[in-house]
Amino acid sequence: FDLVEFQTFIKPFAFQFMFSALDVDSAIFLDNDIWVTSSLTEVWDHLTKRSAVLTPHYFSPCSEDGNLPSDRSILQAGVFNFGFVALSNSPTSTKFLEWWGERLSRYGFVDLERGMFFDQNWGMFIPAFFDHEDYFVIRDQRYNIAYWNLHETGRGLHLRNGLPYIRRNGTVGPGE
């Protein structure tokens, strides 16, 4: 593994350590390129009732204009942005973390031709492995502003006092 592959490889093991050795009820793993601009209270609230909280890379299809990202490139990388993963200490999460860690031990690298993109691809299994009521997908653009979803956020995105804001329906809201 290179350094970035290793950073993403350790996620399931970091969760397992926090849940077993530190006995925490829930945890959020954020990649080192995540910028948190306000409270994550909504995420913590969902974790009191669910085993997982996720955010998709985007909420509406990209146009097929030949530019990246495209729906296909997102499929290669994974539908969910696993730079943001929130899990509670539950039997379902425990099983998922064991499975995910095993997969990353063998396939936690980048090889798009073989369908591998760090740890990201494996998150697509959460809707299959978790009961519907046991995971939550945050469908709020403010939780995931990035180049891959500028087709949704770009027109309304601006900075106010150095913090990102998204203009929606004629109003302005903080980038939470």
Side-chain angles (χ1 to χ4, degrees), residues 8 11 29-31 33-35 53-59 74 77-86 100 117 119-121 123-124 126 137-138 141 143-149:
T8 61
K11 286 180 192 177
F29 193 107
L30 302 172
D31 278 352
D33 61 351
I34 301 287
W35 181 21
V53 178
L54 311 167
T55 183
H57 278 107
Y58 53 71
F59 308 98
I74 293 298
V79 173
F80 298 108
N81 178 3
F82 256 38
F84 169 101
V85 184
W100 188 26
F117 192 73
D119 63 319
Q120 296 263 138
N121 312 71
M124 291 190 289
I126 284 182
V137 177
I138 293 183
Q141 295 168 336
Y143 279 90
N144 190 2
I145 301 170
Y147 72 88
W148 53 75
N149 56 31

Side-chain angles (χ1 to χ4, degrees), residues 133-152:
E133 311 81 38
D134 202 25
Y135 71 94
F136 185 77
V137 177
I138 293 183
R139 299 185 48 79
D140 184 334
Q141 295 168 336
R142 296 174 296 170
Y143 279 90
N144 190 2
I145 301 170
Y147 72 88
W148 53 75
N149 56 31
L150 285 177
H151 69 285
E152 296 172 325

Side-chain angles (χ1 to χ4, degrees), residues 2-167:
D2 68 21
L3 187 58
V4 176
E5 290 168 337
F6 179 73
Q7 172 199 317
T8 61
F9 162 77
I10 66 168
K11 286 180 192 177
F13 306 103
F15 276 109
Q16 288 173 325
F17 176 79
M18 288 184 283
F19 292 155
S20 63
L22 302 179
D23 197 32
V24 300
D25 293 328
S26 55
I28 301 172
F29 193 107
L30 302 172
D31 278 352
N32 60 356
D33 61 351
I34 301 287
W35 181 21
V36 178
T37 62
S38 64
S39 170
L40 296 173
T41 302
E42 179 183 2
V43 177
W44 293 115
D45 289 346
H46 285 295
L47 286 173
T48 64
K49 300 173 271 208
R50 296 174 176 87
S51 294
V53 178
L54 311 167
T55 183
H57 278 107
Y58 53 71
F59 308 98
S60 62
C62 287
S63 69
E64 286 294 321
D65 57 8
N67 294 317
L68 292 177
S70 67
D71 295 336
R72 287 199 49 184
S73 68
I74 293 298
L75 277 175
Q76 288 177 307
V79 173
F80 298 108
N81 178 3
F82 256 38
F84 169 101
V85 184
L87 298 171
S88 64
N89 189 357
S90 73
T92 306
S93 291
T94 298
K95 286 182 195 173
F96 177 74
L97 291 169
E98 290 170 8
W99 173 86
W100 188 26
E102 182 182 304
R103 295 308 179 273
L104 291 182
S105 296
R106 290 196 300 233
Y107 307 114
F109 52 86
V110 176
D111 186 344
L112 294 176
E113 296 290 320
R114 294 173 52 197
M116 298 293 103
F117 192 73
F118 302 109
D119 63 319
Q120 296 263 138
N121 312 71
W122 306 103
M124 291 190 289
F125 284 93
I126 284 182
F129 294 173
F130 288 59
D131 287 338
H132 179 71
E133 311 81 38
D134 202 25
Y135 71 94
F136 185 77
V137 177
I138 293 183
R139 299 185 48 79
D140 184 334
Q141 295 168 336
R142 296 174 296 170
Y143 279 90
N144 190 2
I145 301 170
Y147 72 88
W148 53 75
N149 56 31
L150 285 177
H151 69 285
E152 296 172 325
T153 60
R155 285 197 176 106
L157 182 62
H158 66 282
L159 293 178
R160 178 182 282 175
N161 298 323
L163 296 176
Y165 280 74
I166 299 175
R167 188 180 321 271

